[in-house]
Amino acid sequence: MKKYEEIADELRRRIADGEYAEGEMLPDQIALAEEFGVSRMTLKKAIDMIAMEGLIFRKRGVGTFVIKSALWNSGDSKADEYAGLSKQFPNKTVKSKIILFDILFPPDNIQSLLMLEDNQPVYHLQRLRIIDDKPYILEDTYFVAGLVKDLTEDIIHHSIYDHIRDTLGLKIGGAYRKIHADRSNELDWQELACDQHTPILEVEQVVYLTNGTPFEYSTARSRFDTRSYTITDIIKQ
Amino acid sequence: MKKYEEIADELRRRIADGEYAEGEMLPDQIALAEEFGVSRMTLKKAIDMIAMEGLIFRKRGVGTFVIKSALWNSGDSKADEYAGLSKQFPNKTVKSKIILFDILFPPDNIQSLLMLEDNQPVYHLQRLRIIDDKPYILEDTYFVAGLVKDLTEDIIHHSIYDHIRDTLGLKIGGAYRKIHADRSNELDWQELACDQHTPILEVEQVVYLTNGTPFEYSTARSRFDTRSYTITDIIKQ
DNA sequence: CAGTGGTCTAGACCACGTC
DNA sequence: ACGTGGTCTAGACCACTGA
C-alpha cells in the first residue's frame, strides 16, 4: 500500500467520523507530514487526492477546509459504472433476455466510431435487462470481435464486463457518452412495456481501452420514469 | 506560468502536430526532464496532467504512449459549461425572454437541496434561452439570495454567471446533475414550440461554490431533438 | 539484466491572505 | 511579518516489463 493512499484513507475516515468537522480547518501540511512521518510532498499528494474527490478545498495563504456539502460523499465509487448492473444492484435480481446475438460487418457509422477497417467484424447484441422482474434497460451493443473474443451464449446471459476484465484481461480506460431524450419505437413498446407517447432516455456511448482503442458502441434505452443519469462534476481550480 | 504547465502545453502541441504520433512512444521521463531542464518530479507532473486529459497512457516498465483516439481532443475545455450560453455559442445570437422573476422563501424540497434555514430567501427566475431566434432551453432557477446578491433586470437579461464570477467574486466548485427524459407540460408547449407528445430532455442541477455551499438549484428543459448532453469519462487507474 | 515509470525524501523558495 | 499552501529540486529506491 502506497503511503499517500494510506494517509488519504485515514484523512477520509477522520472527515467521515467528524474528527475534522464540516467547514473546519485541517492541521497544516507540515504538522500532518510530521504526524504521519512522511515528507511534505507525500502528504500533499494525499491531500490532492481527497481534494479531487470534493471532500476538502484549499485557500493558499489560509488553510485547508472540510467542504460543507458531504452530499456526494465517498459512497458512490465511479468504477461501479463499468462493473455491470449485477454489481450496481447487489440486492436485486438481475436477469437478461437475449433479443439478438450475431456477428457481422458493421454499418459505416459504427465502423467509423469504432475506428475499424473494412474486414473487421463486430458482435451485435441486443439484450433486455430485467431488474426484480421489471423491464429496465434495452441495450443495443456492438463489440469489436477482434478484442472481445469468445463471446458465448453463456457469457452474454451474465456479465460481459466480467469476461472482458477478468477472462480477457482488458483494461477499460474511459467512455464517451451522449445522453438524449427520444420518442419510443416499436421495440421499446414491446420490450419496455410502454406506449407510443412514452418518452425514452437513451445513453449512447463508445467505450475505450486504456490505450485509446474503442471496443464497444452501445445505446441503452429506458422509459423516462424508470431511470435518470447522475453526474457529480468537480472543477479543477 | 508554472513550469509543469508550460511543459504540458508543449507536449500537447507535439501530440496535436503529430511529432509524437498516435500509438507511438514518447521519450522517457529522464530524457524529457533533461530536455526541458527540470527535475523529473516536475516533468512527471506535466505528464500526469495530460494523462488525466486522456491524451497519453503509461505502462510501468515499458513507456509512455500517445493514445489512439485523439477523438475527444483538447478542444472542448469543460470550463465552458459554467461560462454561460453566450460563451458556448460565440457565433450565434443568444437572447433571453424573462418569464418570471421573483424573490421568495423556497418550497421545502428546494430549501433542503440548497441547505437553507427557514428565513433565507431565494430568487426564482424562469428564462427562455433563444439561439438564432429559435427557442432552445427553458430554465427554471433558484438562487440563494444571500449569496447571489444584487440581481437586477439588466443582469438577468444577460449573463448571470458573469455577474456571479466577476462582480460578486464567487468561485464555482462543481455541480451535481441529474439528467432525465420527461413528458412535456403546458409551459413547454408554449415556450419550446412543441406538442403534448414531444419528449423533453431535462438537466436538473445543484451548483456549489468551492467551499461546498450550494447557491443554485435549476432545471433546464429542451425538446428531445434540439439538445443532448455529452460526457467524456476517463478512469483514473 | 537494463530500462521504464512510480514513489518518496529533505529541503528550498515562492505566492498569497491575514494580522 | 507570519503562516498558509504551491512549486521545484537532485537524488534515491522500488515495481514492473521485456529481452
Side-chain angles (χ1 to χ4, degrees), chain A residues 36-53:
Chain A
F36 289 109
V38 298
S39 75
R40 204 184 134 210
M41 286 291 283
T42 302
L43 182 106
K44 189 172 173 301
K45 193 155 183 182
I47 293 271
D48 286 344
M49 287 189 68
I50 56 181
M52 292 244 301
E53 293 162 7

Side-chain angles (χ1 to χ4, degrees), chain A residues 71 78 82 179 208 229 233, chain B residues 71 82 179 208 229 233:
Chain A
L71 251 184
K78 203 173 65 173
Y82 299 91
I179 299 155
Y208 299 82
Y229 191 94
D233 180 22
Chain B
L71 251 184
Y82 298 92
I179 299 155
Y208 299 82
Y229 191 94
D233 180 23

Side-chain angles (χ1 to χ4, degrees), chain A residues 16-30:
Chain A
D17 291 1
E19 293 179 33
Y20 302 145
E22 292 192 355
E24 268 189 16
M25 198 170 91
L26 270 63
D28 66 85
Q29 295 182 351
I30 295 170

Side-chain angles (χ1 to χ4, degrees), chain A residues 86-129:
Chain A
S86 357
K87 310 293 194 291
Q88 280 178 57
F89 299 95
N91 303 321
K92 314 219 174 193
T93 68
V94 178
K95 287 189 289 196
S96 300
K97 172 184 160 189
I98 310 298
I99 299 169
L100 184 155
F101 181 41
D102 201 2
I103 185 163
L104 52 96
F105 294 105
D108 283 358
N109 59 335
I110 289 170
Q111 177 180 331
S112 127
L113 283 168
L114 293 176
M115 301 199 293
L116 297 175
E117 307 295 328
D118 283 338
N119 58 349
Q120 296 184 271
V122 295
Y123 287 109
H124 183 197
L125 172 63
Q126 287 185 327
R127 290 195 298 185
L128 176 68
R129 312 304 305 267

Side-chain angles (χ1 to χ4, degrees), chain B residues 17-83:
Chain B
D17 290 1
E19 293 179 32
Y20 302 144
E22 293 192 355
E24 267 188 16
M25 198 171 90
L26 270 63
D28 66 85
Q29 295 182 352
I30 294 170
L32 284 174
E34 276 173 12
E35 184 202 327
F36 290 109
V38 299
S39 75
R40 204 185 135 210
M41 285 291 283
T42 302
L43 182 105
K44 188 171 173 301
K45 192 155 183 182
I47 294 272
D48 286 344
M49 287 189 69
I50 56 181
M52 291 245 301
E53 294 163 6
L55 286 174
I56 57 174
F57 71 101
R58 292 158 290 180
K59 267 192 186 173
R60 186 193 286 203
V62 186
T64 302
F65 303 82
V66 180
I67 233 169
K68 283 178 192 161
S69 52
L71 251 184
W72 48 42
N73 246 354
S74 37
D76 54 344
S77 69
K78 203 173 65 173
D80 286 3
E81 267 180 50
Y82 298 92

Side-chain angles (χ1 to χ4, degrees), chain B:
Chain B
M1 188 67 147
K2 296 151 204 161
K3 284 191 187 176
Y4 66 83
E5 283 181 349
E6 276 177 0
I7 295 169
D9 279 347
E10 171 63 13
L11 293 177
R12 277 189 213 99
R13 190 196 60 74
R14 290 183 187 179
I15 292 168
D17 290 1
E19 293 179 32
Y20 302 144
E22 293 192 355
E24 267 188 16
M25 198 171 90
L26 270 63
D28 66 85
Q29 295 182 352
I30 294 170
L32 284 174
E34 276 173 12
E35 184 202 327
F36 290 109
V38 299
S39 75
R40 204 185 135 210
M41 285 291 283
T42 302
L43 182 105
K44 188 171 173 301
K45 192 155 183 182
I47 294 272
D48 286 344
M49 287 189 69
I50 56 181
M52 291 245 301
E53 294 163 6
L55 286 174
I56 57 174
F57 71 101
R58 292 158 290 180
K59 267 192 186 173
R60 186 193 286 203
V62 186
T64 302
F65 303 82
V66 180
I67 233 169
K68 283 178 192 161
S69 52
L71 251 184
W72 48 42
N73 246 354
S74 37
D76 54 344
S77 69
K78 203 173 65 173
D80 286 3
E81 267 180 50
Y82 298 92
L85 278 184
S86 359
K87 300 330 190 258
Q88 280 179 58
F89 298 96
N91 303 322
K92 315 219 173 190
T93 67
V94 178
K95 288 188 288 193
S96 299
K97 172 183 160 190
I98 310 297
I99 300 169
L100 184 156
F101 181 41
D102 200 3
I103 185 163
L104 53 94
F105 294 105
D108 283 357
N109 59 334
I110 290 170
Q111 177 179 332
S112 126
L113 283 169
L114 294 176
M115 301 200 294
L116 297 175
E117 306 296 327
D118 283 338
N119 56 350
Q120 296 184 272
V122 295
Y123 288 108
H124 183 199
L125 172 63
Q126 287 186 327
R127 290 195 298 185
L128 177 68
R129 312 305 303 269
I130 301 163
I131 296 193
D132 280 349
D133 294 318
K134 274 175 246 158
Y136 183 54
I137 296 181
L138 189 55
E139 287 178 355
D140 190 337
T141 311
Y142 294 84
F143 290 110
V144 176
L147 295 169
V148 184
K149 294 171 185 163
D150 312 324
L151 277 192
T152 63
E153 290 271 344
D154 188 53
I155 292 166
I156 64 178
H157 272 91
H158 303 94
S159 175
I160 295 174
Y161 270 58
D162 279 358
H163 179 246
I164 288 174
R165 215 185 315 247
D166 302 338
T167 313
L168 298 174
L170 301 177
K171 273 189 190 159
I172 298 168
Y176 177 80
R177 296 198 179 89
K178 233 183 199 167
I179 299 155
H180 329 260
D182 197 6
R183 294 189 200 279
S184 57
N185 58 35
E186 286 93 346
L187 193 59
D188 300 329
W189 309 340
Q190 279 178 38
E191 304 294 348
L192 294 173
C194 65
D195 67 33
Q196 191 182 348
H197 298 305
T198 309
I200 297 289
L201 181 76
E202 182 185 272
V203 179
E204 181 186 10
Q205 66 175 359
V206 179
V207 190
Y208 299 82
L209 301 177
T210 46
N211 70 355
T213 313
F215 73 94
E216 168 189 329
Y217 168 82
S218 64
T219 58
R221 296 168 71 87
S222 304
R223 262 174 24 206
F224 77 102
D225 51 359
T226 59
R227 190 185 186 204
S228 57
Y229 191 94
T230 63
I231 303 159
T232 60
D233 180 23
I234 297 161
I235 300 178
K236 295 169 244 165
Q237 304 282 351

